[in-house]
Amino acid sequence: MFEARGVRRHYPVRQGAFAPRRWLRAVDGVDLVLEPGETLAMVGESGCGKSTLARLLLRLERPTAGEIRYRGQDLWALDRAGVRGFRREVQMVFQDPHASLNPRMRVGAIVGEGMAIHDLARGRERRTRVERLLEQVGLPPEAAEAYPHEFSGGQRQRIGIARALAVEPRVVVADEPVSALDVSVQAQILNLLQDLKEERGLTYLFISHDLRVVEHVSDRVAVMYLGWVVEEAPAETLFPRPLHPYTRALLSAVPVPDPDRRTEPTVPEGDVPNPIAPPPGCPFHPRCPERFGPCDRDVPEDTRPEPGRRVRCHLFR
């Protein structure tokens, strides 16, 4: 569905009126493929570039360098009709269900707006389809007449999911869709997303920092650090046997609900480097417990230590 090659997104930064312009490297050379029908999860600490990469894939921002293709077509070479079709086929579920819904619109108008824009249904047919969508995401049909403030956070997120599905997309980008919800509600939304994927044959790009959630929903996982994808593998392989030191550190910090299996998390040294002035060599080397000779001077290349996996680390050259 998507193919990204060498994608970079750098933002100009000035730290004073007369200071030279510098660049914040939000995404710094990402290769990524999203296959039809799969759920690809992107994980990493806050500020690692996950949401920026999602905006690039959604054609909301233009990459500084590199190429993004959707179903084989260059995303930035699409004509007006192509962009319109792309907007319908790729939808987003936002992180904050409180801020992503217009408080002045009724739920029926929010869910049906995409149908109106793309001329998919009118009048009574549109109302019928909106009510059917609301029922599909677990809300009563009469919810169409209410306003967003009349619903709980989990219910609002269901409205956001219904809005995304209203135009019958192929791909749904979910940016931290459950992070603002209570744990009990998170499970309901995740199960709903899984059911909808199976019923509609959807492809998901799922962005999260919660590895418990990612393990539950993903087919494949891409781990990001400081604008790089440092490891990518099937979920069934990555969670029991992570390769990159950063991935191992992330997984060691996941709470285990069993007092007999309690372990000490591996905490990386120091803080995440400044993306305006990243360190030479491997960006993780200042914090890596396994760093050695080439780590502080040579940029590691992607390696494939086994089929279906790739890792960007000097340990696997």
Side-chain angles (χ1 to χ4, degrees):
M1 299 298 285
F2 277 101
E3 183 179 15
R5 294 296 177 204
V7 172
R8 302 176 189 273
R9 184 62 174 108
H10 298 173
Y11 297 97
V13 175
R14 286 191 185 275
Q15 296 180 319
F18 301 102
R21 185 166 62 175
R22 305 172 74 187
W23 297 91
L24 188 152
R25 302 179 182 184
V27 175
D28 202 23
V30 166
D31 295 337
L32 203 67
V33 173
L34 179 62
E35 298 288 354
E38 76 168 350
T39 298
L40 172 62
M42 290 169 47
V43 302
E45 295 171 277
S46 296
C48 70
K50 305 185 299 294
S51 295
T52 301
L53 182 56
R55 289 197 298 272
L56 295 172
L57 294 176
L58 286 162
R59 204 179 183 272
L60 298 177
E61 293 192 32
R62 184 185 287 271
T64 306
E67 183 182 51
I68 300 173
R69 290 185 170 272
Y70 173 69
R71 299 177 66 200
Q73 293 183 292
D74 186 342
L75 203 55
W76 288 94
L78 296 175
D79 58 16
R80 187 170 182 176
V83 172
R84 185 178 177 85
F86 172 78
R87 292 283 180 237
R88 176 185 169 184
E89 292 186 12
V90 183
Q91 289 289 304
M92 187 165 188
V93 176
F94 296 90
Q95 176 177 358
D96 187 352
H98 301 274
S100 61
L101 303 177
N102 189 333
R104 295 179 176 84
M105 293 175 66
R106 295 182 189 271
V107 168
I110 291 172
V111 176
E113 186 176 23
M115 298 182 196
I117 291 171
H118 292 281
D119 198 22
L120 301 179
R122 299 180 181 181
R124 181 173 295 178
E125 182 187 357
R126 187 190 305 166
R127 289 194 297 273
T128 301
R129 291 176 66 170
V130 166
E131 290 174 356
R132 193 181 304 131
L133 273 169
L134 291 174
E135 288 184 309
Q136 193 172 9
V137 299
L139 293 172
E142 53 268 23
E145 300 303 318
Y147 288 93
H149 72 268
E150 300 178 56
F151 297 91
S152 68
Q155 290 173 322
R156 292 187 204 188
Q157 196 62 294
R158 291 173 186 268
I159 295 167
I161 293 169
R163 175 178 60 185
L165 297 178
V167 293
E168 302 174 356
R170 294 172 180 263
V171 181
V172 174
V173 178
D175 188 359
E176 303 271 13
V178 297
S179 64
L181 306 176
D182 294 337
V183 173
S184 59
V185 181
Q186 286 184 8
Q188 297 172 20
I189 297 300
L190 292 173
N191 290 333
L192 172 63
L193 289 170
Q194 287 287 87
D195 292 343
L196 292 170
K197 176 188 174 185
E198 294 172 7
E199 291 171 13
R200 293 172 170 253
L202 296 170
T203 301
Y204 284 150
L205 178 64
F206 194 95
I207 300 168
S208 181
H209 65 272
D210 190 333
L211 288 162
R212 296 171 304 158
V213 169
V214 167
E215 187 175 12
H216 178 69
V217 303
S218 61
D219 299 310
R220 200 156 46 90
V221 182
V223 182
M224 290 194 70
Y225 182 80
L226 208 67
W228 288 16
V229 173
V230 296
E231 184 169 359
E232 182 186 336
E236 60 188 14
T237 306
L238 183 134
F239 284 96
R241 195 165 53 86
L243 297 182
H244 197 283
Y246 177 62
T247 310
R248 293 202 293 268
L250 284 180
L251 290 175
S252 74
V254 176
V256 178
D258 184 349
D260 296 327
R261 293 177 54 202
R262 187 173 296 164
T263 58
E264 288 296 322
T266 303
V267 180
E269 302 173 7
D271 298 319
V272 179
N274 185 350
I276 299 175
C282 173
F284 188 58
H285 88 261
R287 309 177 68 199
C288 182
E290 300 181 49
R291 61 182 178 269
F292 67 110
C295 296
D296 61 354
R297 63 175 187 270
D298 298 332
V299 175
E301 299 292 333
D302 272 347
T303 56
R304 299 185 180 273
E306 55 191 70
R309 301 193 73 161
R310 64 186 177 105
V311 62
R312 201 166 184 179
C313 180
H314 288 297
L315 291 171
F316 299 94
R317 290 192 302 176

